[in-house]
Amino acid sequence: QAQLVESGGGLVQAGGSLRLACTAPGRIFGRAATAWFRQTPGNEREFVVQISRSGGSTFYADSVKGRFTISRDNAKNTVFLQMNSLKPDDTAVYYCAMKPTILSDNRYFNSLTDYEHWGQGTQVTVSS
């Protein structure tokens, strides 16, 4: 049973914006780095962006740099993904994932197997 809950997906025209949210129980959220991955039918799940547990480091896939922004709100146990200038190629199911780390760990984790907790995904569809 997924303990991470994603929301905010939907249908948007190219050039538009969406904001995804990922909420987790505090015992998970407060101890973890968080990433977003995305997947299209017939393809592997791919890394999109990661934020460290402290929030001090962020890492973006080249395909989304300058358009997507990840942030975390510790008071709400929520990570946000602001997606601007959306393109049809951004159409996918977006998954939130969390990896327990120590607070000072600002390393880059972009592999599926790095992450211990996953959400069920939210569909993002960008029309041309």
Side-chain angles (χ1 to χ4, degrees):
Q1 183 177 358
Q3 299 184 74
L4 280 55
V5 178
E6 300 103 335
S7 61
L11 173 64
V12 64
Q13 289 188 331
S17 298
L18 284 174
R19 188 174 79 155
L20 306 184
C22 173
T23 301
R27 60 182 171 79
I28 295 175
F29 178 87
R31 297 184 174 92
T34 303
W36 288 91
F37 289 77
R38 64 188 182 186
Q39 188 171 24
T40 53
N43 293 309
E44 293 186 354
R45 201 168 293 188
E46 66 172 8
F47 173 85
V48 177
V49 60
Q50 178 212 329
I51 187 166
S52 63
R53 173 179 165 180
S54 70
S57 295
T58 55
F59 306 94
Y60 294 87
D62 288 343
S63 58
V64 306
K65 278 181 183 176
R67 300 188 298 122
F68 289 13
T69 303
I70 191 170
S71 62
R72 57 189 294 148
D73 185 334
N74 293 335
K76 296 181 179 179
N77 292 344
T78 300
V79 169
F80 296 101
L81 180 61
Q82 179 66 43
M83 306 187 295
N84 298 330
S85 302
L86 282 162
K87 306 174 182 179
D89 283 351
D90 294 318
T91 296
V93 177
Y94 283 70
Y95 295 91
C96 175
M98 293 190 179
K99 170 184 172 60
T101 69
I102 60 175
L103 185 60
S104 59
D105 192 343
N106 290 314
R107 290 180 292 167
Y108 174 41
F109 301 105
N110 67 339
S111 171
L112 296 177
T113 56
D114 286 329
Y115 292 88
E116 198 171 300
H117 304 285
W118 290 85
Q120 292 183 324
T122 185
Q123 176 71 46
V124 170
T125 303
V126 185
S127 64
S128 57

